[in-house]
Amino acid sequence: GLRACGHAPEPTTMRAALSLLLVSTTVDAFSVSGLGVVRPARAATPAMQTIAPERESTIPDSLPSSWTVPDTFSLADLKRPSSSEPPMYRLTLFRSGDAVHMANALLDVIPLEKEKAVEVADTAARVGLSLVGVWEQGLCETYSEELRRGYNIACDVSKAE
């Protein structure tokens, strides 16, 4: 019948138009050859080399006679130049009682500011451990022994890297 202007086209007309649109946009990417077999068009497929050429490897049977290994070579020479400063060690405090006991022990044994001792003791009480400071090995071990023996404080001395 007659259609008034502004009405939608019939569904079959819409399907036909949509199919034509789809076919027209995809025809460029494919070429039809043979008996209805659709293959990708040559321009649509990227071409790239997938096989590397064989390379001849030559491994010498022995080192050249002109090549000598110096006797003085050592990996120790490659390290940083040794300094005259002794290695440093860190003192770590572990939770040992309440923060007040640990802070008082630190103040009695180690020359620390009160604020620093309280901070270290609070951290050890909350977290379980805290870095007290870094000193030469002998001094660090002396502090550690005094804290252990005199105040029953658990601590550790380890090399500072």
Side-chain angles (χ1 to χ4, degrees):
L2 291 175
R3 284 188 285 161
C5 189
H7 283 279
E10 295 181 22
T12 53
T13 309
M14 278 298 280
R15 270 191 237 118
L18 186 58
S19 298
L20 182 61
L21 178 65
L22 289 174
V23 169
S24 68
T25 57
T26 56
V27 163
D28 293 341
F30 295 91
S31 63
V32 179
S33 63
L35 301 171
V37 178
V38 178
R39 293 192 186 127
R42 190 75 183 127
T45 58
M48 61 187 255
Q49 182 178 355
T50 57
I51 299 174
E54 294 265 340
R55 185 170 72 166
E56 292 182 30
S57 61
T58 54
I59 300 173
D61 293 334
S62 63
L63 294 173
S65 60
S66 63
W67 195 75
T68 57
V69 179
D71 291 336
T72 58
F73 180 77
S74 116
L75 290 177
D77 296 339
L78 299 176
K79 290 183 179 177
R80 283 183 264 145
S82 61
S83 63
S84 58
E85 297 175 10
M88 301 301 280
Y89 286 77
R90 67 177 149 239
L91 178 63
T92 305
L93 177 72
F94 296 103
R95 184 183 302 130
S96 306
D98 66 345
V100 173
H101 170 69
M102 291 186 289
N104 284 331
L106 288 171
L107 288 170
D108 288 349
V109 175
I110 303 170
L112 293 175
E113 296 290 326
K114 183 179 178 185
E115 294 77 23
K116 171 75 174 168
V118 169
E119 177 189 333
V120 168
D122 282 345
T123 302
R126 281 185 293 107
V127 179
L129 61 107
S130 182
L131 175 66
V132 179
V134 180
W135 296 277
E136 292 179 12
Q137 184 177 9
L139 189 56
C140 206
E141 287 176 352
T142 301
Y143 291 157
S144 174
E145 278 301 309
E146 185 61 32
L147 288 169
R148 282 188 199 129
R149 286 187 185 161
Y151 298 90
N152 200 27
I153 300 281
C155 47
D156 177 66
V157 174
S158 59
K159 191 168 186 173
E161 294 299 326

